[in-house]
């Protein structure tokens, strides 16, 4: 039997520091109205059971370790989806004193799903996109390869680190809070990409 993890992806959702708008829309995508379950999606609260990590909101000094802890507890292969423009780049809060940037300042992001707030249809598009990447990672693992060579982890710059005082060192996010680092390809963008996302900006050129 040809087994594919994408046929029954388990997702875990974490709301970083969003206004709660994207948080509610992610939950809406799991309700019978939008019915993400028709793609085999199952919502779980245990990182060790999850295949896809849905993150809403920007990253700050307080939630950065939490996001990394959840990510590190997930087993390979795994995918990360940045849900909403704040998770993609920091959004309207990117210049705030307490915002480090998008989710890619903390962990590798495989799919960017912009929106303010993100639409449930875009969340589902992002999950489907992540499922394709999940299959690629699984195929690499079956041949003895490293899944970190596929998707966002392959182009990730390592994010930022917190100092002993619990704050980010000055200039640590100087490449742009949450932007895809210069010279590195952007992860796929799901749904109706906003001009604020790196991939969409590149397409507009």
């Amino acid at each position: 039997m040809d087994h594919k993890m994408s046929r029954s992806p388990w997702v875990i959702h974490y709301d970083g520091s969003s206004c709660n708008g994207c948080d509610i829309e992610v939950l809406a995508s799991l309700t019978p109205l939008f019915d993400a379950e028709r793609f085999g999606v199952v919502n779980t609260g245990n990182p060790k059971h999850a295949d896809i990590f849905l993150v809403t909101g920007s990253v700050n000094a307080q939630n950065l370790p939490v996001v990394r802890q959840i990510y590190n507890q997930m087993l390979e292969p795994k995918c990360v989806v940045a849900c909403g423009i704040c998770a993609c780049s920091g959004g309207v809060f990117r210049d705030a004193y307490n915002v480090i940037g998008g989710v890619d300042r903390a962990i590798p992001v495989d799919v960017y799903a912009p929106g303010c707030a993100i639409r449930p249809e875009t969340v589902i598009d992002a999950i489907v996109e992540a499922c394709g990447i999940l299959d690629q990672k699984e195929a690499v693992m079956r041949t003895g390869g490293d899944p970190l060579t596929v998707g966002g982890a392959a182009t990730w710059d390592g994010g930022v680190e917190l100092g002993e005082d619990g704050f980010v060192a000055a200039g640590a996010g100087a490449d742009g809070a949450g932007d895809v680092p210069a010279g590195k390809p952007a992860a796929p963008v799901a749904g109706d990409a906003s001009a604020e996302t790196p991939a969409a900006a590149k397409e507009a050129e």
Side-chain angles (χ1 to χ4, degrees), residues 126-145:
I127 292 175
V128 171
E129 185 77 41
C131 284
I133 297 174
L134 203 60
D135 281 341
Q136 294 176 34
K137 292 186 177 185
E138 185 180 23
V140 169
M141 290 182 69
R142 285 179 181 275
T143 60

Side-chain angles (χ1 to χ4, degrees), residues 18-34:
S18 77
C19 67
N20 206 37
C22 290
D23 183 35
I24 291 173
E25 295 302 312
V26 168
L27 297 177
S29 69
L30 301 172
T31 63
L33 178 62
F34 295 97

Side-chain angles (χ1 to χ4, degrees), residues 142-195:
R142 285 179 181 275
T143 60
D146 184 356
L148 296 180
T149 60
V150 180
T155 58
W156 192 49
D157 69 344
V160 298
E161 295 296 334
L162 299 180
E164 294 182 1
D165 58 356
F167 294 94
V168 178
D175 64 332
D179 282 346
V180 174
K184 294 190 176 182
V189 178
D192 50 348
S194 164

